[in-house]
């Protein structure tokens, strides 16, 4: 009954005054909060979080635009009468133009297939990247 309990004042996160008593043992092992002492940050609070750069988004959009331009250019290259068909008439001209249209269709189809494959690969890459960099709770 002769013991008196002294209430401890709450500790602040700022610098300690030299007149304080020794901290409790569990406070010594706590990691230091805030920036390191030699850092260039001079503010009194924690530094603002870094702005997220959306490099993947811009890369993805640039590739989509490039593939779209490639498909449009490929489809436009098949319009008109090909140079190989000039001078032909009748059924020979019709057959030559149809063969050219089939070649253009196959070419545009291959571009679209490549486009889809690149999008799938980029999608899987993004998912793996997000899973690898997520923060644990």
């Amino acid at each position: 009954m002769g013991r008196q309990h002294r209430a401890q004042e709450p500790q602040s996160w700022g610098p300690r005054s030299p007149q304080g008593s020794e901290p409790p043992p569990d406070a010594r092992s706590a990691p230091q909060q805030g920036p390191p002492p030699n850092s260039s940050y001079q503010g009194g609070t924690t530094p603002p979080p870094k702005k997220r750069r959306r490099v993947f988004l811009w890369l993805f959009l640039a590739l989509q635009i490039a593939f779209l331009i490639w498909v449009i250019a490929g489809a436009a290259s098949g319009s008109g009468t090909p140079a190989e068909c000039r001078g032909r008439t009748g059924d020979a001209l019709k057959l030559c133009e149809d063969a050219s249209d089939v070649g253009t269709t196959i070419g545009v189809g291959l571009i679209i297939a490549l486009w889809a494959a690149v999008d799938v690969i980029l999608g899987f890459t993004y998912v793996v990247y997000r899973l690898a960099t997520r923060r644990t709770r």
Side-chain angles (χ1 to χ4, degrees), residues 3-87:
R3 285 184 156 183
Q4 293 180 353
H5 291 310
R6 227 174 50 190
Q8 270 189 337
E9 292 182 24
Q11 294 182 356
S12 67
W13 289 102
R16 294 181 181 219
S17 61
Q19 62 198 16
S21 63
E22 186 171 319
D26 60 343
R28 281 188 228 137
S29 63
Q32 180 181 2
Q33 298 290 327
N38 296 335
S39 73
S40 61
Y41 182 71
Q42 299 296 327
T45 61
T46 58
K50 290 183 179 179
K51 183 177 180 183
R52 286 185 53 179
R53 294 188 180 126
R54 299 190 183 270
V55 175
F56 182 84
L57 174 68
W58 291 110
L59 175 72
F60 182 78
L61 290 176
L63 280 171
Q64 300 310 303
I65 290 171
F67 272 110
L68 185 62
I69 291 170
W70 194 11
V71 166
I72 291 171
S77 70
S79 65
T81 303
E84 295 84 19
C85 297
R86 292 198 178 118

Side-chain angles (χ1 to χ4, degrees), residues 79-104:
S79 65
T81 303
E84 295 84 19
C85 297
R86 292 198 178 118
R88 298 183 187 205
T89 58
D91 287 340
L93 176 63
K94 177 97 170 109
L95 183 64
C96 184
E97 287 176 345
D98 288 347
S100 176
D101 291 343
V102 168
T104 301

